[in-house]
Amino acid sequence: MVARQTADGKGRGVFATRDIAKGEMTYGGKDNYAFFSTGEAFRRFLGALPDGEACDVIMWAWTQRVPVGRDFETLIAVLLDSNSLQNDAPRNGRKGQQVANTGCPAGKECAWFDEYALIDIREGDEFLCDYVEFAESDLWEEFGL
């Protein structure tokens, strides 16, 4: 994958550098993420960054409930590589609308943050995921943010 400007005015995006077959993993694991379990820890992290980078992190961070054993933990997540530039599209869009082409396929047991091609993706196509499938914007208040 490669990050570059989009042609449709969304800003930056992530694009395929080769053809990818439906069902092929497009991104996996959590090695390039930062996780914060308190608002205070997230604020300390932001405070250590230059202002411009802190603004980028705030714009691309999200809250999410993640499985921990038999329970769930609410975390702030920040992706720290170019996949953070993957743009949003609904999984089931209206006619003529862009739709998500990466995510966890229906019926598949996916690990944290694993993404697969939901359709065949051609070289040069933009990777799109449905933010609703992982980001839970109503959880920020739990962190006092």
Side-chain angles (χ1 to χ4, degrees), residues 75-98:
L75 297 174
I76 297 170
V78 179
L79 182 52
L80 301 172
D81 65 21
S82 62
N83 204 42
S84 67
L85 302 176
Q86 191 172 156
N87 286 306
D88 181 36
R91 193 174 280 227
N92 298 308
R94 294 185 307 267
K95 186 175 182 178
Q97 182 182 31
Q98 287 185 306

Side-chain angles (χ1 to χ4, degrees), residues 6 11 14 17 23 35 39 54 68 70 82 86 88-89 131 143:
T6 64
V14 181
T17 55
F35 299 103
V68 177
R70 293 180 183 206
S82 62
Q86 191 172 156
D88 181 36
Y131 292 178
F143 295 96

Side-chain angles (χ1 to χ4, degrees), residues 37-53:
S37 58
T38 68
E40 178 183 334
F42 185 58
R43 284 190 290 276
R44 277 196 316 268
F45 177 73
L46 294 171
L49 299 173
D51 289 349
E53 290 177 14

Side-chain angles (χ1 to χ4, degrees), residues 44-121:
R44 277 196 316 268
F45 177 73
L46 294 171
L49 299 173
D51 289 349
E53 290 177 14
C55 286
D56 286 344
V57 167
I58 290 169
M59 186 166 22
W60 292 104
W62 68 91
T63 55
Q64 182 174 0
R65 282 188 183 87
V66 295
V68 177
R70 293 180 183 206
D71 204 5
F72 287 87
E73 182 176 6
T74 303
L75 297 174
I76 297 170
V78 179
L79 182 52
L80 301 172
D81 65 21
S82 62
N83 204 42
S84 67
L85 302 176
Q86 191 172 156
N87 286 306
D88 181 36
R91 193 174 280 227
N92 298 308
R94 294 185 307 267
K95 186 175 182 178
Q97 182 182 31
Q98 287 185 306
V99 295
N101 57 10
T102 68
C104 183
K108 183 169 183 64
E109 187 79 24
C110 296
W112 275 22
F113 311 113
D114 285 353
E115 292 182 356
Y116 296 84
L118 300 174
I119 59 172
D120 289 337
I121 301 172

